[in-house]
Amino acid sequence: MVPCDTVRGLALPLHTGGGGLVPRGTRVQVFDSIFEVFLVLGTLVGAVVLGYMGLKAFQYRRGAEHDDGDVSRPVLGELPRGSEGGGKLFVSFGLSAVVVVSLISWTYLTLLYVEDPGRSAADPEALEVEVIGGQFSWTFVYPNGHRSTVLRAPADTDVHLTVTSRDVFHNFGVPGLRVKTDAIPGQTTSTWFVADEPGTYAAHCYELCGSGHSFMDTEVVIMEPADYEAWYANTSASAGPANASAPNATVSDGPTRLPTTAKGVGA
Amino acid sequence: MSDGASRLATPELPDATTLKRWFVTTNHKDVGLLYVGTSLFFLVFGGVLALLVRSQLWVSRAPGEGLLGPVAYNQAVSAHGLLMVFWFLSPLAIGLANYVVPLQIGAKDLAFPRLNALSYWLYLFSGLLFGVSFFQGTSFSGGWTMYAPLNVPTFMPSLGATTTVFALILFTASVTVGGVNFITTIHRMRAKGLSLWRMPLFTWTILLTVWMMLFAFAALLAALLVLSSDRLLGTMYFAQSSPGGALLWTHLFWFFGHPEVYIVFFPALGVMAEVFQTFTGRRIVGRKWFIAAMVLVAVQSFFVWMHHMFLTSISLNVKTLFMATTIGISLPFDLMVFALIYTLKKGDIRFSTPFLFNFGALVLFILGGITGVFLGAVVLDYEFRGTYWVVAHFHYVMVGGVTALIGGIYYWFPKFTGRMYDEFLGKVHFAMYFVGFNLLYFPMFVAWETPRRVFAYQSSLEPWHQLATVGGFLLGSSFLVMFYNLYRSAWAGEEASASPWEYASTAEWTVSSPPPLENYDGYPDYTEGELRYLDEATVRAESTGAGGAAAAAADGGTLLRREG
């Protein structure tokens, strides 16, 4: 089971010492806490820099009162050279470097967590699902061989996805669960998510893959663990769409054919 | 022009008002104007496609609804990206460079004038060939990144897609020929006394741009040749059955694609530096560091490409390395931005149209830069991948660069034509442009959850997409004001002097507007610390050692002094 004991939101990670500084938890929590910090700092830095820039431009506009008696102005035909003021330049540069480098280093610690949340793939509780992208639908293969075009998974459980494609480059993403990875023919990528609560989430394709790209959507249904167990017990390898490990008929579709599996608009 | 003597003689060229002149010219100023004009044509071409895209996005659509069908939409998106990046942005910069760089460094023309003309005509025909692809079934419809294996005939069988690839190859030929020409010119043909460190910043950015082009476009050419082989000869390098094919494309493409970002942006940075210095009446702060930062970026740009591939199957170690290089490459830009900002201090700032556009460009670039740091955090990048956050970010950066280049057009317009543009209409253009720009691209940050290149999106985001569409049309129509202004002013504008801008300092402003065919009356020389023009006798005397530089100034040189 997943330790959801950790931080939520922005304030907590900054105020709990030690390991609490690095956002952990579900991917939604991790993303939200980092995004919020970036948004706040980004807005602040932007406001300061743009404000200063606007102020100086206004102060030193022609006709304004300012003392420029000792300022030397560029002269036509001079050898190009610079002005004084390098010291200030390096202070500002140093400051911005510290902000950027520390922000990114901080998120790097979270990246290490996201890449390896400390729950090995051998975790008996974890659910392993294979995701296969194809023009223009997704196929999910469960450990028992069951195939489906909708992903069902239990809440509060580690779900590991192994993602590939049977035709072109796709990208499988579930924005509501903050999980996303490329689906590349001939390669596999892996990722994971944990859903806090039962519900239905939309999944989309995030890499242009042909005429049906806009509609290469599906659903991720998160169920109560008990409901899921009941559903899973009734599945078998024979169900679901045709064998997806070999290129199927849609592969040769020209770009002029409309997708037959379009799920409608948005989600 | 077989030898030096015939080069010095005034070449026979038909009058500039005749059509023939523009077909036979090899003069760098003519070719520069051809480049600028043609690039603006492709701006309109790519812009109309963008407006079609924005119209389709007015509301979330079901397949087949709206102006564009699914394949037409994909073509519009792809062609918009390709046309803007390849056939508009770089050529506009190269057009300005063609005109300005030889004047700035004291050369009478580029090193190889005929090669220069060839590079232009290759550019024009590659663009027209792209246009032809729309009439051959469908044009390329796999996005400007052209990911494999969608780009092979199995998935994109149309002849038009092959034509697009061929157009890109022809464009690469143009870029390579042009790049070699600029490299030779800037390294070998500078006026005496104008060392590399002393070069005007616009020329510096062009030098770095063409060096990057030389190496980056080689990777693109490799990718395109292999793709052509797949499309024409039936090889399977990028086919779905090739296990590394898709990744091979992403590596080759982004090894080109990331430097391309700077290739497109550097000239804009150069224009900003020139315009800031002229209109603030201040020399740039930290000039040496500004140049060093640019050189660093130019080199490092070849070591960040995998940050476009964080969600592919590359390992954590590689991700870490490329995260570090990516953050590393963002820091020199901080320095450049601060240098430009501090140049404002103690200025005598005049908010004329060129400065408005360049000041605006810096604002947009700062916003694009900050939102880029979000993408540098890999954990955030994972979620932004393939969404409108990326679209908004790179439009702020790229079109921010365009903003500076448009300012460059206004800045050098009096030099190009000998006439002044209409200042009021220039300001109207800027107001419409800046409001339209932010109305177009800022809502994309808010609606960032929209997946890229789709026209079916969450309907709760519709208001933001409608704002963006309104902004797009405002931005587009602002160019009508510019075209009208420039067209009318070129014929009926107020006459402009050789140096209409107070505090302008670079050499292009020392010659008449427009400059004579051979640029200079005499030999430009900086050995005395400022530009002067030597006559032939003095140059000969100096080169034989008969007279020192001081003597030359006394008896033959014309020292240049002009009061602001």
Side-chain angles (χ1 to χ4, degrees), chain A residues 72 83 92 115 180 182 255, chain B residues 71 283 342 348 382-383 385:
Chain A
S72 113
S83 285
S92 320
E115 290 283 312
K180 192 181 281 177
D182 284 335
Chain B
V71 181
R283 300 179 189 96
Y342 286 132
D348 180 18
Y382 280 176
E383 310 310 327
R385 158 90 166 91

Side-chain angles (χ1 to χ4, degrees), chain A residues 38-128:
Chain A
F38 270 63
L39 215 51
V40 170
L41 278 177
T43 311
L44 201 70
V45 170
V48 168
V49 173
L50 293 181
Y52 181 83
M53 188 177 152
L55 180 71
K56 291 300 151 190
F58 179 74
Q59 274 177 353
Y60 291 98
R61 72 194 187 278
R62 170 162 286 186
E65 293 275 315
H66 50 82
D67 176 35
D68 55 358
D70 61 336
V71 180
S72 113
R73 302 279 176 214
V75 178
L76 189 60
E78 71 179 14
L79 255 183
R81 57 197 166 101
S83 285
E84 310 297 297
K88 212 167 26 187
L89 185 61
F90 276 91
V91 173
S92 320
F93 171 65
L95 265 176
S96 76
V98 166
V99 170
V100 170
V101 171
S102 45
L103 263 181
I104 299 293
S105 312
W106 171 62
T107 63
Y108 181 66
L109 297 175
T110 305
L111 175 67
L112 293 179
Y113 164 76
V114 167
E115 290 283 312
D116 180 17
R119 304 180 293 274
S120 77
D123 180 358
E125 305 263 10
L127 170 64
E128 302 273 348

